[in-house]
Amino acid sequence: MNLNTFFKRLIDLAFYLMVPIVVFFPGTILYVLMFPEQTIINLNIPYAENGFSGKALLFSMGFFALFLLFFAGLYQLRKFAGLLLKNKLFSQEVVKRTHKTGTFFTACALGSLIFIGLNALFSYEGKISVTFGTSNFSLLLFLLIVGVLFLLLSDAFARALKLKEENDLTV
Amino acid sequence: MPIIINLDQVLADRKMKSKELAEIVGITEANLSILKSGKAKAVRFSTLEAICEALECQPGDILAFSSTNSFEEGQ
């Protein structure tokens, strides 16, 4: 198994593991809203300790919207991995896919950073929380770096494509 | 492209076919067609040398510069 195949399989795995979240999340929230007294689902989201309030709903919707951005980025990355597997590295399609991946990841990371910042502001109780090791903040910062890297990669692929075209049209 | 390729004219003067020239020069007919149609972005000196040798001509007989073409492209 070469590296391209391994890359594609890894992304496929991550993608299919996330599909149930995309499919079932809205239904779960709807179920909790319709039956507030239910005991089957244990919600692990902030502001839902004393029932599913408007704040918790807002948090869930925000989280889901940001998750959709990440999922869209992963979908584009999956398409890019497919193109790599077909050996179509220098094509307009690769430029387009890497640009979209970068845009979605960057938007997701920036949105999430603002989101956790606002969340920290609203839930501030006079204590500063310090996380040692890999925190949400550092992971989101890493996602932002990956997003920007993909935007740069897209630019590099566009330049490479132009050079390849020039090379192909050199007699 | 302000550079015009007069290869068709030179070939007709020499009564030589594109296929023959491609064989002598050692390039594919597809590449020669790219050159003749003006789609080429660059020509290697080695290719130009081989074409001039095969057609017994000067580079200026094959290539010409037209400022009107570049003006039209700018528009």
Side-chain angles (χ1 to χ4, degrees):
Chain A
M1 189 164 64
N2 66 15
L3 215 56
N4 280 354
T5 316
F6 183 59
F7 182 59
K8 177 81 169 71
R9 293 218 174 133
L10 268 180
I11 292 167
D12 278 346
L13 178 73
F15 182 78
Y16 287 117
L17 282 175
M18 282 177 198
V19 168
I21 302 173
V22 176
V23 175
F24 295 119
F25 189 90
T28 311
I29 295 299
L30 204 69
Y31 175 76
V32 174
L33 274 175
M34 283 170 75
F35 306 102
E37 302 301 317
Q38 59 84 31
T39 51
I40 305 164
I41 301 164
N42 179 29
L43 281 176
N44 192 19
I45 54 171
Y47 314 114
E49 294 88 7
N50 306 317
F52 203 75
S53 62
K55 222 174 180 182
L57 181 69
L58 200 71
F59 184 90
S60 311
M61 289 306 164
F63 165 77
F64 189 60
L66 290 167
F67 180 75
L68 280 183
L69 278 178
F70 183 77
F71 188 73
L74 200 70
Y75 173 77
Q76 296 298 332
L77 190 63
R78 192 168 162 259
K79 291 282 174 192
F80 167 66
L83 289 169
L84 281 188
L85 211 59
K86 286 178 196 161
N87 230 349
K88 290 179 181 170
L89 192 60
F90 299 108
S91 64
Q92 200 58 46
E93 187 77 3
V94 164
V95 176
K96 201 177 87 184
R97 296 288 180 197
T98 43
H99 192 267
K100 279 187 177 176
T101 306
T103 309
F104 281 129
F105 281 169
T106 307
C108 175
L110 281 177
S112 301
L113 282 170
I114 294 168
F115 197 64
I116 62 163
L118 286 175
N119 185 39
L121 206 69
F122 288 132
S123 58
Y124 181 69
E125 289 167 348
K127 281 181 185 173
I128 297 168
S129 164
V130 179
T131 309
F132 291 103
T134 316
S135 66
N136 275 352
F137 179 75
S138 44
L139 280 176
L140 287 174
L141 210 57
F142 181 71
L143 184 66
L144 184 63
I145 292 166
V146 170
V148 175
L149 175 72
F150 267 98
L151 289 176
L152 286 172
L153 259 183
S154 169
D155 192 44
F157 275 125
R159 286 185 198 190
L161 183 64
K162 202 177 168 196
L163 282 175
K164 189 187 177 289
E165 274 172 4
E166 267 185 28
N167 189 48
D168 287 347
L169 290 174
T170 297
V171 181
Chain B
M1 191 83 157
I3 301 293
I4 300 163
I5 312 288
N6 293 322
L7 200 56
D8 271 331
Q9 185 63 46
V10 180
L11 275 171
D13 291 347
R14 306 291 190 276
K15 288 175 183 152
M16 193 187 274
K17 287 183 179 169
S18 300
K19 196 178 174 183
E20 273 177 78
L21 180 66
E23 269 173 27
I24 297 167
V25 174
I27 59 172
T28 62
E29 273 190 84
N31 271 349
L32 194 62
S33 171
I34 288 170
L35 184 61
K36 277 165 62 182
S37 61
K39 284 179 189 165
K41 297 259 182 186
V43 184
R44 287 190 191 92
F45 277 153
S46 57
T47 311
L48 194 60
E49 184 189 325
I51 291 172
C52 289
E53 211 163 54
L55 296 173
E56 293 173 346
C57 64
Q58 291 297 313
D61 298 332
I62 303 166
L63 305 171
F65 173 74
S66 164
S67 57
T68 48
N69 274 16
S70 67
F71 175 74
E72 278 165 16
E73 272 190 16
Q75 297 287 299

